[in-house]
Amino acid sequence: EVQLSESGGGLVQPGGSLRLSCVASGFTFTNYAMNWVRQAPGKGLEWVSSISASGGNKYYADSVKGRFTISRDNSKSTLYLQMTSLRGEDMAVYYCARMGSSWKDYFDLWGLGTLVTVSS
Amino acid sequence: EVVMTQSPGTLSVSPGGGATLSCRASQGVGSSLAWYQQKPGQAPRLLIHGAYLRATDIPSRFRGGGSGTAFTLTITSLQSDDFALYFCQQYSEWPFTFGPGTKVDI
């Protein structure tokens, strides 16, 4: 079955760090660019970061630039998001999403998400 | 940054009826526009890409249209399963941006 499965969310204090993981299965991970998208409670969707299939190109939202790092391990079919200096406004469900067939494309497959709670 | 707006915020429709959702971009995005459906507690699901191309397994009652800065999602013969939140997204340029969503309810 084609799917994405996120993990690593949880409760963290402001200023803390967390690493999210997203394991892909059922498709050739190395063929696709990947993304992180977040959704604060009761709010809309916010694109966070994208990484190309090879990992050589990365983009970040201004709201996380310098604090978050996207990476991937193609040998493990896994996408990561390292989050540091976390703030209250980072609290959200974080989804990993597969890019369509080309770089700079729609998101055709989403995981179920993992909740990040930032609170003291 | 391309700012996406959607209208209306909420649309009340009867089962079997039709709905037209609007999405506007602050600058032209060509046909690089997608629509997603999200139900409570679930991940978004891709409905439409390329402004009018239905994603895999999406029924024909979902129809996308428009280009440039103005787009629509039309849902005909609404079924109970269609009552949800709908987001548009531009992927013409980074940062990719989403609209605030339109809630379709009974």
Side-chain angles (χ1 to χ4, degrees):
Chain A
E1 183 184 359
V2 177
Q3 64 181 6
L4 299 168
S5 180
E6 303 92 338
S7 62
L11 174 63
V12 61
Q13 292 185 339
S17 300
L18 212 54
R19 187 176 85 155
L20 307 183
S21 301
C22 170
V23 177
S25 59
F27 65 95
T28 304
F29 185 67
T30 53
N31 286 351
Y32 293 89
M34 297 295 296
N35 308 269
W36 288 100
V37 178
R38 68 185 180 184
Q39 186 171 36
K43 302 295 185 182
L45 299 168
E46 179 188 15
W47 169 80
V48 173
S49 184
S50 300
I51 185 169
S52 61
S54 67
N57 290 298
K58 304 175 185 180
Y59 284 93
Y60 297 93
D62 285 347
S63 57
V64 307
K65 201 172 295 181
R67 300 187 299 121
F68 290 12
T69 302
I70 193 171
S71 62
R72 62 192 294 161
D73 185 337
N74 285 345
S75 68
K76 296 181 179 179
S77 297
T78 302
L79 174 73
Y80 301 101
L81 185 68
Q82 179 68 50
M83 306 185 295
T84 63
S85 302
L86 282 160
R87 307 166 180 166
E89 54 264 38
D90 296 319
M91 186 163 66
V93 174
Y94 284 73
Y95 297 101
C96 68
R98 187 179 75 176
M99 197 91 84
S101 55
S102 63
W103 183 229
K104 206 162 77 166
D105 214 345
Y106 51 89
F107 302 163
D108 67 347
L109 178 68
W110 296 65
L112 295 179
T114 187
L115 176 63
V116 173
T117 302
V118 182
S119 176
S120 54
Chain B
E1 167 176 323
V2 180
V3 177
M4 307 299 291
T5 57
Q6 290 185 246
S7 61
T10 302
L11 192 55
S12 295
V13 188
S14 300
T20 298
L21 287 63
S22 177
C23 172
R24 288 191 173 271
S26 62
Q27 62 194 69
V29 298
S31 295
S32 298
L33 191 285
W35 289 93
Y36 301 89
Q37 178 194 66
Q38 187 179 35
K39 298 175 184 177
Q42 296 186 20
R45 177 177 72 145
L46 175 69
L47 296 176
I48 300 287
H49 62 92
Y52 65 91
L53 298 169
R54 278 189 301 275
T56 303
D57 296 330
I58 300 303
S60 58
R61 65 178 184 274
F62 292 91
R63 187 172 71 248
S67 67
T69 61
F71 301 88
T72 57
L73 175 67
T74 301
I75 312 170
T76 58
S77 302
L78 269 146
Q79 301 182 5
S80 57
D81 194 47
D82 300 334
F83 292 95
L85 195 53
Y86 293 83
F87 295 97
C88 62
Q89 178 218 10
Q90 68 80 20
Y91 51 94
S92 174
E93 60 179 62
W94 276 281
F96 295 158
T97 46
F98 292 87
T102 290
K103 181 180 180 182
V104 177
D105 65 13
I106 299 174

